[in-house]
Amino acid sequence: MLDNHPLTPALLAPILLSAMEKGVSAAVLVALTHPDPRKVGSRLLVMKGETRGTLGDTKADEAGIRLARSALGGDPSTLPGTYPLPLREGGELEVFLEMHQPRWELVIVGAGHVAQPLCSIGSLLGLYVSVLDDRPQFATRERFPEADSLQEIDFQDPFAGIPLHRWSHVVLVTRGHKYDYECLRKILINEALPGYIGMIGSRRRVRAAFDALLLEGISRERLGSVHAPIGLDIGSETPAEIALSVGAELVHHWRGGSGRPLSEMEHVLERLLPEGDVQSGSVDSLRQAHRRDGTTNDESREES
């Protein structure tokens, strides 16, 4: 959709707010310079399948839309900042590219023992945390003080009115395997998948759920996007430990990494001085060099 009417800040704000609530990314170009001083500050909004506003020049608009779509597509060479755009009559104007991304969210389905510490961890990680359950007496502010949203749902249609998108991280930890299964099925039959899907359960229960979903026509590729059993293997047993393993997997999902202990990867002991070289004089020299660097033990820990 193309709407090239002037886009004022008052008109832009509710459009961006609605987009963020729906999980839609947006790029805004603001004219910093223009041959016509009255058009300085003109805005061009670009979202998936929709463009609004104008920079006051058709050629600049075309170039701006290409720039914005490149940024929305994740091109690492297109970052927020100032860019020159060509003008129809020659020359160029400068625009500032703004990127607006929805806040990453954690949707915890189930308000039981694992959900409580997981809500705290999600909040610490900076996620917008929603807790969903069909039992209003469980999804309470007293049990989930860090939650941004508490919602009563029906497991027959658990995500009614709750848009899931690539910024969503959905964790299924309901009170029963049949509810986890139904919620997972509802997610996988939709065209757009959340950025992260995790389901608690033993290997046997997860395999049984996947077999049933295959029979319902869910592809192996879609099932491959599900983290189940959920979490990293840290030997967790208690609800808090399980929540910690899930939080660790979320960070691993975003940042990458091997998931191995850093002490195993760095091999610090193997890089120490040979046994015979560790004399008192050399130790003193090392200590003096360390002091000259101005690095204390505590600072070293922070830097690592």
Side-chain angles (χ1 to χ4, degrees):
M1 182 177 107
L2 178 62
D3 180 350
N4 59 1
H5 290 87
L7 191 58
T8 66
L11 291 174
L12 178 63
I15 296 172
L16 287 176
L17 180 60
S18 176
M20 297 305 100
E21 289 175 346
K22 295 175 182 176
V24 176
S25 301
V28 178
L29 294 169
V30 183
L32 301 178
T33 64
H34 203 286
D36 184 346
R38 295 171 299 177
K39 295 180 179 178
V40 172
S42 298
R43 290 167 174 79
L44 178 65
L45 168 68
V46 180
M47 298 183 291
K48 184 178 181 181
E50 182 176 0
T51 302
R52 297 194 184 194
T54 177
L55 297 170
D57 183 274
T58 54
K59 190 170 184 179
D61 284 348
E62 291 170 0
I65 291 171
R66 289 195 298 270
L67 175 68
R69 286 177 177 165
S70 175
L72 291 171
D75 184 344
S77 67
T78 311
L79 300 173
T82 306
Y83 291 87
L85 299 180
L87 291 166
R88 183 182 56 201
E89 301 298 332
E92 60 186 25
L93 61 79
E94 287 190 342
V95 297
F96 187 83
L97 171 64
E98 301 174 352
M99 297 301 298
H100 298 267
Q101 309 285 15
R103 184 178 175 185
W104 288 18
E105 65 176 354
L106 174 62
V107 180
I108 306 173
V109 187
H113 296 307
V114 173
Q116 286 182 282
L118 183 57
C119 176
S120 300
I121 291 172
S123 179
L124 285 172
L125 292 175
L127 299 171
Y128 182 95
V129 182
S130 298
V131 180
L132 318 180
D133 204 292
D134 64 341
R135 302 164 296 175
Q137 69 272 24
F138 277 76
T140 64
R141 184 58 58 192
E142 290 73 25
R143 300 186 74 235
F144 296 93
E146 299 94 346
D148 296 285
S149 173
L150 298 168
Q151 299 188 47
E152 182 181 357
I153 61 168
D154 181 346
F155 283 127
Q156 295 300 313
D157 193 7
F159 305 107
I162 303 172
L164 299 179
H165 44 77
R166 65 179 179 138
W167 313 102
S168 303
H169 303 76
V170 183
V171 174
L172 305 177
V173 285
T174 73
R175 67 181 183 277
H177 179 65
K178 64 178 181 178
Y179 301 123
D180 289 334
Y181 173 84
E182 187 58 31
C183 291
L184 180 60
R185 190 182 71 82
K186 288 288 187 182
I187 292 172
L188 294 178
I189 62 177
N190 288 327
E191 181 179 353
L193 293 179
Y196 173 95
I197 311 165
M199 184 178 73
I200 200 168
S202 66
R203 185 183 303 172
R204 179 179 62 83
R205 286 187 178 274
V206 169
R207 187 172 62 247
F210 281 12
D211 283 341
L213 289 167
L214 281 173
L215 292 174
E216 290 200 40
I218 303 298
S219 69
R220 290 179 181 272
E221 181 182 5
R222 292 221 141 198
L223 291 175
S225 68
V226 181
H227 297 258
I230 197 171
L232 295 186
D233 180 13
I234 58 173
S236 53
E237 295 182 0
T238 68
E241 292 169 351
I242 294 170
L244 182 61
S245 78
V246 175
E249 184 172 71
L250 287 174
V251 176
H252 182 266
H253 179 69
W254 308 329
R255 306 294 188 192
S258 67
R260 293 170 53 202
L262 291 174
S263 58
E264 289 183 2
M265 298 176 63
E266 295 299 329
H267 303 290
V268 175
L269 285 175
E270 297 175 12
R271 296 171 181 164
L272 295 180
L273 291 171
E275 193 72 29
D277 290 348
V278 184
Q279 306 296 333
S280 59
S282 61
V283 171
D284 289 341
S285 298
L286 286 170
R287 286 175 176 165
Q288 290 172 8
H290 197 58
R291 292 192 187 100
R292 284 197 300 271
D293 290 340
T295 306
T296 65
N297 286 339
D298 288 339
E299 289 169 342
S300 298
R301 294 189 187 100
E302 291 176 1
E303 290 173 0
S304 64

